[in-house]
């Protein structure tokens, strides 16, 4: 059904009105998205207090609409009329949003908002001082509030509080489904890392050591973003401390990157990662804009697109066939010239370290595994907040073979928990797994893919992803999309195949 | 009364609730302001359609609040309680906003919004083709709708439709009050221009002819903006096609400028103009933020601040004592070096021309006089739309002694009427007159002012303006402020004194 075919007084009237309300909510949320983007990019330092008030008002207006009696009434009326499959998806999703909005009392919403707002400052100060005791009472309070919120939201039989919170990020995913995935990853990844480090030939990374002016890196990043197919008539690239992507609609998608003179591949990788997010947003179906059908599926699927371009493309031998001459120029034409082989190997070095955001592909999911276990234990009450640093350090010792030197480089390194985001971390690993499965499916469907990448012809992959994933919006759940695109359920095999093959080649095993 | 002293359940409760609603409206409007700023500076080209929807929604939500029954009830209840003078100002202004909001039926508001949205595109096309006939039916429709709107709004006895529309921009100002001001200006300005052109020694402008890289101009503009006292921790400078200033609150004030390689003083003048607007916004009283008391008085007073810094400071002999060495560097250190005297004279050249936005100080108000007469005649029905080009050209012949070559450089040059903004143009002249009177008062109050300007010590003037004008917010009407600051009512004398003295010196008469 095309939305503009709806007759305002026909049997579809309640559904049409519901969609109009959903679109209004999207306009409020996308206005807030632009204000948040501005806050991270261009806002003058003293604008923060007023910006917080603007964002709080827009969030309240959106919440009032979704939680309100009018929305509920339209949902009931629309459900009573016959619907096509597309409308059924919208009704299901809008019902889900409505119920989650009404289940949590406004007082708890406000208390969480206020606590996370204060906790972030406390976390930043605690991290700077590597002083977990300072953050502990805030984490304790956030856990209590989050447990109460989870109880308000509820969860399916056999589940637990974590599931209710993870639903914000990955609808339908439960701890019970995720735990076996981590179990499948931990052993083989640990093995792989040991094998590479003990028997492999470590790549030489000195060729990437020379400092490169940030402006030159930015030019290269923009060139690569354009080549990958990011449409700058419908988007922007800017700078920010932490790279992110924001979309107000598919015709205004903005990502940020950051460049450090002494880490030339870092900024390029960040850029390709965000371009992956951006291509997804730019490829959403305009017909369904402002309704759930026109939105992305989940954070895991979103992350699959960023990881796919960052890692499966950006860390591939083929990509460096195309990109090495550009990097050679950016590095000031060193002699002997860089080779694609050498850059590719350097881009894939594996070195277990403490910091998640700087982790290589092989150890990344081990960082997430530690966090997943700990947030489950915290929410279940199996772990006291006071015991978190010791448990964290034990996890790093076990999974990564590292002795964490201090909490700054340990359990205080990530912002997520201070924002009350429990259940978020695993979406990074889901993104890696979905990404590997989708890229494997693309490789099967597109026999010319390696040559296309080596030739800088990224449209082949981009168009396929556009058709298979982006243009689908939320027509399918993450699980349904995975079955359709990859021909099977989510698992760890494709990821382990991909990583083992590549890294053993890199390490000449 | 400090707003935070209000007791929510005391006798001030309705007033406190009213202010809370006013602040919510300000949050909606300032969110829209940020979205509009983004549209002119950074928005990708294809984002326009979605941005229009966001802005329309935010405008509707603000309008619903101000026009609503709750607002009306609180106004009545608050008016019944005793109030101090500050509260009386807020109540008066909120009542005025409410009444204007309810008087115009939503259908007419929507029709005007839609028509102006379309008319701007038609105007742009008509101007590009210098084809008035293309724009004529749109102007006709906008006049009809604006007359209807004026009739809904109403006007005081003895007034006319123009007054009701001008109230949007300059509350309390009427055509009857403005006409004598233009009458006082026209003769003496025409005389002055003739005297300068016929008997004076025209300044040499060749010294400003060399092309200057835009980046160097931008650095100079930023240096000057900082020196004038614009606080970049609470604001920004960016680039846009047409310079403007936007404020979301006094701690986030943004202006734009534009730079052309072959017009080195143009971008600097624009910057000083917008900095004048920006200093006003940054100087508003934070205590009353989000309420009328915390807002600027009128467009005329706003423009007085921009013109004062652009012209009374930026085109003064003293300013160039300080700024010439900077300009000398930006121009690549020409030999012989520039002198303050020579730059000052070149910055004040008088050359009657067709385009308002490029006009010098002496002819600027003549451009406005033509427009004021014509919009009055159009609204009164004394002039048919079809007759506008001929009437325009006759006005330019009479007041500026020019034969307008085509409508592109004639009655199609300005965007205002295509936006339905009738009654706006005279605020530019009001700004010039208020600016001259305020600067004269500053000169009386601050004997060391010329030396301070020549030494680049602009804080003396800025602080005085801050105290006399900026920090007053809307405590006084424009007329009251003028009496308080300048010791008399608005008139043309100070302006004519200032301009005659300066330009005769420039032209060595």
């Amino acid at each position: 059904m095309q939305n503009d075919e709806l007759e305002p007084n026909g049997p579809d009237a309640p559904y049409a009105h519901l969609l109009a309300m959903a679109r209004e909510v999207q306009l409020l949320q996308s206005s807030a998205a632009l204000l948040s983007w501005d806050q991270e990019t261009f806002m003058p330092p003293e604008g923060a207090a007023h910006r917080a008030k603007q964002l709080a008002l827009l969030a309240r207006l959106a919440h009032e609409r979704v939680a309100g009696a009018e929305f509920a009434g339209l949902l009931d009326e629309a459900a009573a009329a016959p619907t096509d499959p597309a409308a059924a998806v919208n009704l299901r999703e809008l019902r889900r949003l409505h119920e989650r909005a009404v289940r949590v009392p406004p007082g708890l919403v406000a208390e969480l908002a206020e606590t996370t707002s204060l906790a972030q400052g406390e976390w930043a100060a605690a991290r700077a001082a590597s002083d977990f005791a300072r953050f502990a009472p805030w984490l304790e309070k956030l856990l209590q509030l989050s447990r109460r919120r989870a109880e308000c939201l509820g969860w399916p039989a056999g589940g637990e509080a974590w599931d209710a919170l993870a639903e914000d990020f990955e609808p339908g995913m439960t701890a019970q489904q995720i735990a076996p995935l981590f179990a499948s990853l931990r052993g083989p990844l640990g093995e792989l890392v040991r094998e590479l480090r003990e028997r492999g030939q470590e790549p030489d990374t000195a060729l990437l050591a020379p400092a490169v002016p940030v402006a030159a890196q930015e030019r290269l990043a923009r060139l690569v973003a354009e080549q990958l197919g990011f449409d700058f008539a419908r988007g922007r690239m800017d700078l920010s401390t932490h790279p992110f992507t924001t979309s107000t609609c598919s015709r205004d998608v903005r990502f940020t990157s950051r460049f450090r003179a002494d880490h030339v591949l870092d900024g390029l990788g960040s850029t390709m990662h965000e371009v992956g997010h951006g291509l997804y947003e730019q490829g959403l179906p305009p017909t369904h804009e402002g309704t759930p059908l026109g939105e992305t599926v989940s954070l895991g699927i979103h992350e699959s697109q960023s990881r796919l371009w960052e890692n499966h493309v950006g860390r591939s031998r083929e990509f460096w066939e195309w990109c090495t001459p550009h990097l050679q120029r950016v590095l000031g034409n060193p002699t002997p010239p860089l080779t694609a082989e050498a850059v590719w190997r350097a881009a894939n070095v594996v070195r277990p370290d403490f910091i998640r955001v700087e982790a290589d592909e092989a150890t990344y999911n081990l960082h997430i595994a530690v966090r997943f276990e700990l947030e489950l234990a915290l929410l279940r009450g199996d772990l006291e907040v006071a015991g978190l640093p010791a448990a964290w350090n034990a996890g790093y010792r076990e999974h990564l073979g590292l002795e964490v030197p201090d909490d700054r480089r340990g359990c205080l390194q990530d912002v997520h928990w201070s924002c009350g985001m429990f259940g978020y971390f695993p979406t990074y690993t889901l993104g890696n797994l979905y990404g590997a499965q989708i890229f494997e499916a693309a490789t099967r469907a597109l026999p010319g893919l390696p040559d296309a990448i080596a030739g800088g012809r990224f449209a082949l992959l981009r168009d396929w992803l556009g058709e298979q994933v982006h243009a689908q919006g939320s027509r399918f759940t993450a699980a349904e999309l995975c079955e359709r695109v990859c021909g099977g359920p989510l698992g760890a095999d494709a990821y382990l195949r991909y990583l083992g093959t590549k890294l053993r080649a890199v390490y000449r095993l």
Side-chain angles (χ1 to χ4, degrees), chain A:
Chain A
M1 189 193 313
Q2 292 289 311
N3 295 325
D4 46 9
E5 287 171 13
L6 293 166
E7 293 181 20
N9 297 312
D12 289 324
Y15 179 61
H17 288 163
L18 189 66
L19 290 195
M21 282 193 80
R23 290 207 179 87
E24 194 170 299
V25 169
Q26 197 277 339
L27 290 175
L28 290 167
Q29 290 171 334
S30 63
S31 298
L34 197 277
L35 295 182
S36 298
W37 169 85
D38 177 75
Q39 180 162 10
E40 301 300 324
T41 50
F42 293 122
M43 190 183 75
E46 296 206 16
H50 190 259
R51 183 57 45 87
K53 290 184 202 165
Q54 292 174 315
L55 290 171
L57 174 62
L58 294 173
R60 177 165 67 75
L61 295 179
H63 180 269
E64 281 172 4
R65 276 155 182 74
V66 174
E70 187 183 357
F71 202 87
L74 290 170
L75 272 173
D76 290 342
E77 289 178 61
T83 50
D84 66 5
V89 170
N90 271 336
L91 287 174
R92 183 196 71 209
E93 281 302 299
L94 293 173
R95 167 76 66 188
R96 196 175 71 85
L97 291 173
H98 170 71
E99 290 187 348
R100 286 177 73 79
V102 293
R103 280 178 186 162
V104 186
L108 180 53
V109 172
E111 199 176 350
L112 257 166
E114 198 188 343
T115 309
T116 53
S117 165
L118 296 169
Q120 283 169 68
E122 294 295 320
W123 162 77
R127 181 171 80 158
S130 199
D131 176 9
F132 180 75
R134 175 167 184 169
F135 181 54
W138 292 93
L139 181 57
E140 181 61 45
K141 179 145 193 223
L142 284 168
L143 276 166
Q144 281 172 20
L145 293 171
S146 296
R147 271 196 219 101
R148 273 175 52 204
R149 180 164 173 267
E151 277 154 25
C152 296
L153 291 169
W155 53 80
E160 59 186 302
W162 188 92
D163 302 344
L165 301 177
E167 179 85 5
D168 283 338
F169 314 116
E170 196 68 20
M173 186 58 77
T174 65
Q176 215 170 13
Q177 288 173 278
I178 288 182
L181 295 172
F182 279 113
S184 310
L185 285 170
R186 267 190 305 256
L189 286 179
E191 281 298 322
L192 177 62
V193 173
R194 261 190 301 280
E195 183 189 342
L196 300 175
R197 309 273 306 158
E198 285 167 12
R199 298 174 29 220
Q201 208 174 306
E202 185 168 80
D204 171 18
T205 54
L207 68 163
L208 300 175
V212 177
V214 160
Q217 292 191 44
E218 197 179 332
R219 278 196 299 277
L220 174 62
R222 201 171 286 274
L223 180 149
V224 170
E226 272 181 357
Q227 192 83 9
L228 299 188
F230 185 83
D231 181 354
F232 281 96
R234 299 190 292 138
R236 295 182 51 82
M237 167 171 135
D238 296 283
L239 301 178
S240 70
T241 314
H242 302 287
F244 68 96
T245 299
T246 288
S247 163
T248 67
C249 70
S250 64
R251 294 176 312 293
D252 186 352
V253 177
R254 306 173 183 206
F255 70 90
T256 65
S257 199
R258 63 167 175 195
F259 302 97
R260 296 188 291 183
D262 52 348
H263 287 74
V264 65
L265 287 198
D266 219 56
L268 184 64
S270 284
T271 302
M272 293 183 73
H273 180 99
E274 301 304 330
V275 164
H277 285 303
L279 290 173
Y280 190 5
E281 295 284 350
Q282 289 190 333
L284 290 170
T287 321
H288 297 294
E289 186 174 289
T291 74
L293 265 171
E295 302 287 319
T296 59
V297 179
S298 72
L299 287 195
I301 298 296
H302 226 309
E303 193 76 5
S304 79
Q305 300 306 295
S306 57
R307 302 274 168 163
L308 194 154
W309 287 102
E310 177 190 4
N311 293 331
H312 294 266
V313 176
R315 286 191 160 103
S316 72
R317 182 71 174 72
E318 292 79 13
F319 176 78
W320 287 106
E321 289 292 333
W322 172 74
C323 198
T324 299
H326 296 290
L327 185 67
Q328 167 78 11
R329 272 195 297 280
V330 165
L331 279 165
N333 292 309
T335 47
L338 299 174
T339 66
E341 172 83 7
V343 179
W344 168 64
R345 293 189 67 223
N348 282 288
V349 71
V350 172
R351 285 178 189 150
D353 211 334
F354 309 108
I355 305 297
R356 175 185 61 85
V357 295
E358 292 168 6
D360 54 76
E361 280 183 273
T363 56
Y364 190 92
N365 297 295
L366 300 173
H367 290 261
I368 302 298
V370 174
R371 286 157 179 75
F372 174 61
E373 282 173 14
L374 292 175
E375 66 182 12
L376 269 183
L378 287 167
L379 282 165
R380 286 172 182 166
D382 294 345
L383 173 64
E384 294 293 319
V385 164
L388 179 63
W392 179 286
N393 298 351
Y396 268 72
R397 196 175 303 122
E398 183 191 340
H399 295 310
L400 286 122
L402 294 174
E403 286 302 325
V404 174
D406 50 36
D407 293 337
R408 187 170 59 80
R409 284 172 284 184
C411 65
L412 286 174
Q413 69 182 263
D414 294 308
V415 72
H416 303 60
W417 290 339
S418 79
C419 305
M421 298 204 297
F422 302 100
Y424 189 109
F425 282 121
T427 65
Y428 294 127
T429 289
L430 293 177
N432 285 330
L433 303 188
Y434 281 128
Q437 272 175 280
I438 293 171
F439 192 78
E440 212 174 58
T443 306
R444 280 195 305 271
L446 307 168
L449 184 56
D451 283 350
I453 293 175
R457 297 185 307 278
F458 303 108
L460 185 70
L461 178 59
R462 188 184 66 245
D463 291 348
W464 186 86
L465 290 170
E467 192 183 294
Q468 297 286 319
V469 180
H470 309 170
Q472 301 302 326
S474 275
R475 177 177 297 265
F476 308 107
T477 65
E480 289 166 356
L481 190 73
C482 185
E483 285 283 352
R484 276 181 60 98
V485 177
C486 313
L490 179 65
D493 293 352
Y495 186 73
L496 290 171
R497 266 196 300 276
Y498 148 72
L499 208 59
T501 307
K502 180 172 78 168
L503 294 182
R504 286 193 182 91
V506 165
Y507 277 75
R508 297 182 172 158
L509 285 164

